Amino acid sequence: MYSSSASLFGLLCGLIVLLILPFPSHASDPDPLQDVCIADLNAPISINGFPCKPDSEVTSDDFFTDFSKNPTTFDVFKRAVTLGDVSGFPAVNTQGVSLFRIDLDVGGINPPHTHPRGTEAGIVTRGKVLVGLVTTNNTFFSKVLTPGMVFLIPRALIHFQLNVGKGPATFIPIFNTQNPGVSDSLTTLFDTTPPIPNELLTKSLRVSDDVINAIRKARASN
């Protein structure tokens, strides 16, 4: 009985894979048309990534990057980011994948933000990190993670990571796209060019002009 059930389950999984794989629309990035396309970061950007370096210029070092170094500086959020997207690791160009190293000093936060072009899966490698996300029906999910624990953030959902431990924290997020993009709530509202009119913000947030101006001033000082 168990063998029969396992076989049916395996067949069902196989059918799901066969149904999903043939359709590029289920992938975040287009399928590559060659084995290797090391990004030429000095060339003009095309619609789907960077042009490829000539094969004659590709070396072994192009396929490797280093995430082992601890940061020496942090931003205003007590956060340091080591890039592993196409801009920091050109080998991911056209491969539909990217990764980063995020370090949070004590009390540091990766503020609420979204990735409009990718699903995020991550593993905590040091410290204690509170990971939270909000679904489109405004349900909040969260959990404190320790080294070896993994999280998943569905594409485009608002989420954050907060160091809740007594020492530094590190996690490695991986995306199913070479360029997931990032949009954080405060930057979207208060750091646009040209600025979003105060009238729209006061009516949307139901606060006074003084509050909006104070937020703008605080962000400008940082």
Side-chain angles (χ1 to χ4, degrees), residues 35-47:
D35 289 339
V36 175
C37 181
I38 306 298
D40 181 354
L41 299 181
N42 296 317
I45 301 176
S46 64
I47 294 175

Side-chain angles (χ1 to χ4, degrees), residues 120-153:
E120 175 180 352
I123 181 169
V124 173
T125 60
R126 179 174 61 160
K128 295 175 65 176
V129 180
L130 172 65
V131 179
L133 66 141
V134 180
T135 62
T136 55
N137 64 2
N138 292 324
T139 302
F140 175 56
F141 297 94
S142 67
K143 188 177 181 71
V144 174
L145 304 184
T146 53
M149 300 181 72
V150 174
F151 62 86
L152 181 117
I153 309 295

Side-chain angles (χ1 to χ4, degrees), residues 35-69:
D35 289 339
V36 175
C37 181
I38 306 298
D40 181 354
L41 299 181
N42 296 317
I45 301 176
S46 64
I47 294 175
N48 290 313
F50 288 83
C52 309
K53 286 172 56 174
D55 288 346
S56 60
E57 297 180 12
V58 175
T59 69
S60 292
D61 286 342
D62 286 322
F63 296 94
F64 303 93
T65 193
D66 186 1
F67 274 13
S68 66
K69 298 176 182 177

Side-chain angles (χ1 to χ4, degrees), residues 15-100:
L15 289 173
I16 292 173
V17 170
L18 288 174
L19 284 170
I20 292 176
L21 286 182
F23 298 100
S25 61
H26 290 278
S28 183
D29 290 355
D31 288 333
L33 300 177
Q34 64 286 310
D35 289 339
V36 175
C37 181
I38 306 298
D40 181 354
L41 299 181
N42 296 317
I45 301 176
S46 64
I47 294 175
N48 290 313
F50 288 83
C52 309
K53 286 172 56 174
D55 288 346
S56 60
E57 297 180 12
V58 175
T59 69
S60 292
D61 286 342
D62 286 322
F63 296 94
F64 303 93
T65 193
D66 186 1
F67 274 13
S68 66
K69 298 176 182 177
N70 291 325
T72 56
T73 60
F74 295 85
D75 63 17
V76 295
F77 299 109
K78 299 184 177 181
R79 171 190 61 183
V81 180
T82 304
L83 298 178
D85 61 356
V86 67
S87 64
F89 190 17
V92 305
N93 192 43
T94 77
Q95 299 300 316
V97 66
S98 60
L99 68 164
F100 299 78

